[in-house]
């Protein structure tokens, strides 16, 4: 489960929002007025995969500035702590692009205090995988290329609605990038559909959508919450699964320590590979495409 934001921090941030709104009430014009004033339309994204998706859609659109709220090395937002700097960033934006599906739920109270801020929800109409017990829906939609395609379309359509003067450009950019994603998806299916080994063990719950898309079976998860070391019993259970199943590959993530996976590998002889959930990386247009292609090559090697 995600760690809750402290009550004191929430109160402090909401108080700051109230002061900001009081000072700026009636001074936040819509997108068209921003352009008329010669000021950029500022779009803020919640974290790295939403930033990469959005800069592809806004490429070469005049008068639009895209800012990523969190640092590009943050990773998933499971334990992210909202900061006063984030508040300032959001307060200066007109549009906030989120993954949705509960990934940014820790921000609900703050965002509700910014009524002029328009929300673009990339998870619209995407079926969610329900977690076990109190885990809730799995929010790691973008790790599936098919979901990333739908998220790109969602962002493009919603931006076109909010900024109709540039609707054609958003639509054209979305179509171009979706074409690249579809080409990569076909390439990955060609590479992975024929692999004999289908059972994998992953680092945390980032890959169910990816596994579903490529017909892989996640038999165990080393750390259900990244950064929380598995107990001795959990390690023992995973070791037994590997020994019984003959699985010879473990997949860690570059954003987190591989210590637990290495312990399991030492006990079983399995090899440790890196599978990237695309939650950090270079702030470049083709970053998602490049990272997913590396994942494809890693899986080809690990599952052959």
């Amino acid at each position: 489960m995600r760690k809750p934001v402290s009550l004191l921090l929430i109160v402090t941030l909401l108080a700051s929002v109230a002061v900001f709104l009081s000072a700026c009430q009636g001074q936040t014009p819509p997108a068209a007025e921003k352009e008329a004033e010669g000021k950029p339309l500022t779009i803020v994204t919640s974290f790295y995969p939403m930033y990469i998706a959005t800069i592809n859609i806004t490429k070469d659109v005049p008068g639009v500035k895209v800012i990523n709220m969190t640092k590009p090395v943050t990773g998933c937002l499971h334990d992210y702590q909202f900061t006063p700097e984030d508040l300032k960033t959001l307060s200066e934006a007109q549009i906030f692009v989120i993954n949705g599906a509960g990934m940014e739920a820790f921000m609900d109270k703050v965002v509700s205090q910014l009524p002029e801020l328009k929300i673009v929800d990339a998870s619209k109409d995407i079926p969610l995988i329900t977690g076990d017990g109190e885990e809730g829906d799995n929010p790691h939609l973008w790790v599936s290329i098919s979901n990333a395609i739908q998220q790109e379309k969602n962002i493009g359509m919603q931006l076109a609605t909010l900024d109709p003067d540039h609707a054609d450009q958003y639509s054209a950019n979305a179509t171009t990038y979706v074409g690249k994603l579809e080409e990569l998806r076909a390439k990955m299916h060609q590479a992975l559909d024929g692999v004999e080994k289908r059972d994998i063990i992953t680092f945390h719950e980032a890959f169910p959508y990816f596994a579903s898309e490529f017909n892989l079976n996640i038999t165990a998860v080393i750390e259900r919450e990244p950064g929380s070391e598995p107990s001795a019993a959990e390690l023992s259970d995973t070791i037994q699964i590997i020994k019984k199943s003959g699985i010879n590959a473990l997949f860690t993530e570059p954003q987190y320590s591989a210590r637990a996976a290495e312990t399991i590998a030492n006990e079983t002889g399995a090899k440790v590979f890196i599978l990237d959930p695309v939650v950090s990386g270079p702030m470049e247009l083709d970053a998602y495409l490049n990272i997913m292609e590396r994942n494809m090559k890693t899986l080809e090697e690990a599952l052959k």
Side-chain angles (χ1 to χ4, degrees), residues 85-243:
E85 183 180 354
D86 297 333
L87 174 63
K88 183 176 185 297
T89 299
L90 275 182
S91 298
E92 295 172 351
Q94 290 76 55
I95 299 173
F96 186 32
V97 179
I98 65 172
N99 174 77
M103 179 61 77
E104 296 90 354
F106 67 96
M107 293 184 57
D108 287 349
K109 291 183 179 179
V110 174
V111 171
S112 68
Q113 299 299 311
L114 297 168
E116 299 300 319
L117 184 66
K118 305 302 182 184
I119 306 298
V120 169
D121 186 346
S123 69
K124 182 176 172 57
D125 297 329
I126 298 178
L128 304 180
I129 294 175
T130 302
D132 298 328
E134 298 181 356
E135 290 181 5
D137 295 329
N138 190 308
H140 301 84
L141 303 173
W142 69 93
V143 188
S144 155
I145 295 186
S146 292
N147 285 346
I149 289 171
Q150 185 58 51
Q151 288 191 304
E152 191 74 7
K153 292 177 180 178
N154 285 341
I155 295 170
M157 288 187 291
Q158 292 176 58
L159 286 181
T161 299
L162 293 172
D163 185 16
D165 288 345
H166 299 118
D168 290 344
Q169 291 164 289
Y170 293 133
S171 177
N173 284 343
T175 298
T176 297
Y177 189 57
V178 164
K180 293 180 180 180
L181 289 169
E182 289 174 339
E183 182 179 346
L184 178 59
R185 178 174 62 182
K187 184 177 181 180
M188 292 186 72
H189 274 290
Q190 185 177 12
L192 300 177
D193 285 354
V195 297
E196 294 183 6
K197 297 178 181 178
R198 296 276 165 194
D199 293 338
I200 63 174
I201 293 178
T202 61
F203 180 81
H204 89 281
E205 293 282 16
F207 289 94
Y209 294 100
F210 181 95
S212 176
E213 178 155 15
F214 293 102
N215 195 28
L216 302 175
N217 177 38
I218 300 175
T219 61
V221 177
I222 297 173
E223 294 183 12
R224 290 199 168 271
E225 289 296 335
S228 60
E229 291 288 330
S231 66
E234 289 170 332
L235 281 174
S236 177
D237 288 345
T238 302
I239 289 169
Q240 292 306 311
I241 289 172
I242 293 173
K243 288 181 175 179

Side-chain angles (χ1 to χ4, degrees), residues 8 11 25 40 55-56 88 143 183 220 294:
L8 178 58
V11 171
Q25 187 174 12
I55 61 173
N56 274 279
K88 183 176 185 297
V143 188
E183 182 179 346
R294 288 201 298 270

